[in-house]
Amino acid sequence: MDTSVLPPESTVYLPQLGEGVDQVTVTRWLKAPGDAIEVDEPLLEVATDKVDTEIASTHAGVLAEILVQEEETVEIGAALAVVASSEGAAPDTVVATPKPQVPAPQPVPAAVLPPRQDAPHLSAASETTIEPTPSPAATPKADSTEKLSPVRRTIARRMMESLQISAQLTTVLEVDLSAIARLRSEHKDDFLAHTGVKLSFLPFFARAALDVLPEHRMLNASLNEDVTEVIYHGNCHLGIAVEGPKGLMVPVIRNAGNLGIAQLAQSIAAAAARVRNAAITVEELNGGTFTITNTGSRGALFDTPIINQPQTAILGTGAVVERVVPVRAPESPLRIEVRPMAYLSVSYDHRIVDGADAAKFLTAMKQRLESGYSAADLIG
C-alpha cells in the first residue's frame, strides 16, 4: 500500500514511552489486516529495555497495513501501522472449511484373520491382538529450542554490562530478628485489617536500610560513566526487585525515606501486583537510587546480587529461619536459645564503596533491627 496517498491521521506512530526510552522491539501484533479497530484499543505489544507494554490505536477504522514486523526494532516516532476508514470497507470473509468426515472403522471378518493360538483365552468382543504400549519413561524426550523474550534478553545484557562496568564485591552479616518477630506476631492481624496487606519482614528491612542510609551516603549514590563524578542522592528512591511473568523487574518507590512501615508495606505490595499483572509502566521502573532484592522469599539464605547500574549498592535479604544461637547477656551466664535469624548481604561498587563502608552499613542495619520497632511505628 502506498501510504503517501493516505491522510496523515490514518497512520499510527510509536508514542513516547518514558524518559530514556529511545527504541522498542515489536513482540506481538494483537490485530491483523482487515480487523476492525476502535480508538484506544490495544493494537500491538512492544518491549523496552525494562518492560513490555501495549500500544493502542489512535484511530478507529480497519487495520489496512502493518508497517513493522514482529521482532523488528524501531525508534520512538516510527510509523507502525495504517488504519483506513471503515466506511465502505467490507470485512474479510472467512469461509469455514468443513472438517472431513472419517468413516468409522469396520470390523474385520474373522475369516480373513490368521488363526489365533490363544483364542480360547480371548473375550468374545476381541477381534485383534493389542500390542503393549511402551511406558512414558522409556520414551526419550527431544530437546527443545526457544527464543529468549525481549525482556529476558535485556536482563541478560544489563547484568553482563553491570559486571563489566563496576568492581563488585559482596559483604554478608547475620541479624537476630527476635524483636521484629514478636512485634509481627502481636500485631499482624490488626495490621492486615488496617492496611489491607500482610505484615512481612520486608518492610522492616526496607525501613531499617532507609534509617541508616543517610549516614552511609556512598551506598545511595551514582557514578558517572567516566568515573570522574559521584552523585550523593539527598533522597532515596527505593527499588524493589520483583519476579514477574516476563522476568525480574525493579519498580521504584519514590522518596521512600518519608514512608513509615505501613506505607512501605502498601507501596511494595502495590508495585509487586502491578509487575505480576503486567501493568507496570516505564516511569515506575526509572530513577532508583538504592535497591533491595528479597531472595529469602524463595528460601535462599543469602545471595550475591548484581548492582542495578548506575547505583552503587544493592541489599539482599535472606530467609528468616530459626537457629540455635549462643546468647550472653551482661552479668549473665552463657545460654543457648532458638531465635529467628537472617543473613543480610550487600553488593557494592568497590570503585566508590570500600569494604569497611559496606560492613559499617550492615552493622548499623543489624543494630537498628535488633533494637526493634514499636507498635506506633506500624501506624504511620
Side-chain angles (χ1 to χ4, degrees), residues 13-312:
Y13 297 93
L14 179 62
Q16 181 59 248
L17 297 176
E19 183 181 356
V21 178
D22 300 320
Q23 61 183 19
V24 303
T25 299
V26 175
T27 55
R28 185 165 68 106
W29 280 93
L30 304 176
K31 296 289 184 178
D35 288 350
I37 305 169
E38 300 294 334
V39 175
D40 294 331
E41 184 177 6
L43 185 60
L44 71 157
E45 291 180 350
V46 300
T48 72
D49 277 353
K50 295 187 177 182
V51 68
D52 288 0
T53 189
E54 293 179 343
I55 303 298
S57 177
T58 49
H59 310 287
V62 174
L63 179 58
E65 184 178 5
I66 289 175
L67 304 178
V68 180
Q69 301 305 312
E70 293 181 357
E71 299 298 320
E72 190 173 344
T73 300
V74 293
E75 304 291 327
I76 297 297
L80 300 175
V82 176
V83 178
S85 171
S86 59
E87 296 180 3
D92 293 343
T93 303
V94 180
V95 180
T97 304
K99 185 176 181 180
Q101 299 296 320
V102 180
Q106 301 297 319
V108 181
V112 301
L113 294 175
R116 293 180 187 99
Q117 296 298 324
D118 300 327
H121 303 288
L122 296 177
S123 66
S126 299
E127 294 291 345
T128 57
T129 302
I130 300 175
E131 297 294 333
T133 302
S135 63
T139 304
K141 293 184 178 180
D143 294 343
S144 63
T145 302
E146 299 179 1
K147 281 188 175 181
L148 288 179
S149 68
V151 171
R152 190 71 255 175
R153 294 199 298 266
T154 297
I155 292 173
R157 175 177 57 79
R158 290 173 64 87
M159 293 300 97
M160 285 302 299
E161 288 176 352
S162 180
L163 290 174
Q164 293 166 356
I165 289 172
S166 58
Q168 302 191 24
L169 293 178
T170 303
T171 295
V172 182
L173 179 147
E174 190 175 30
V175 58
D176 183 345
L177 295 171
S178 297
I180 302 297
R182 283 193 299 269
L183 186 65
R184 287 184 65 242
S185 179
E186 293 170 0
H187 297 279
K188 61 182 180 180
D189 293 337
D190 290 340
F191 187 87
L192 177 59
H194 177 69
T195 65
V197 297
K198 293 182 178 179
L199 181 59
S200 69
F201 284 95
L202 183 54
F204 289 100
F205 291 139
R207 187 60 260 173
L210 293 165
D211 285 341
V212 303
L213 271 175
E215 301 302 321
H216 302 84
R217 60 179 191 154
M218 69 289 297
L219 282 87
N220 187 38
S222 301
L223 279 172
N224 67 352
E225 293 183 0
D226 298 331
V227 198
T228 56
E229 292 181 346
V230 57
I231 301 173
Y232 295 105
H233 300 290
N235 296 316
C236 181
H237 304 308
L238 181 64
I240 301 291
V242 178
E243 181 184 1
K246 296 184 179 179
L248 190 68
M249 297 183 181
V250 186
V252 177
I253 301 172
R254 311 288 174 184
N255 299 311
N258 299 330
L259 304 181
I261 291 174
Q263 294 169 315
L264 284 170
Q266 291 171 320
S267 298
I268 292 170
R274 288 195 293 275
V275 169
R276 290 164 185 152
N277 294 330
I280 202 75
T281 64
V282 176
E283 287 78 8
E284 293 177 277
L285 301 172
N286 286 334
T289 62
F290 182 81
T291 297
I292 297 178
T293 176
N294 185 25
T295 56
S297 63
R298 298 298 183 185
L301 293 180
F302 67 89
D303 201 358
T304 57
I306 297 175
I307 296 171
N308 190 12
Q309 296 294 331
Q311 299 170 25
T312 57

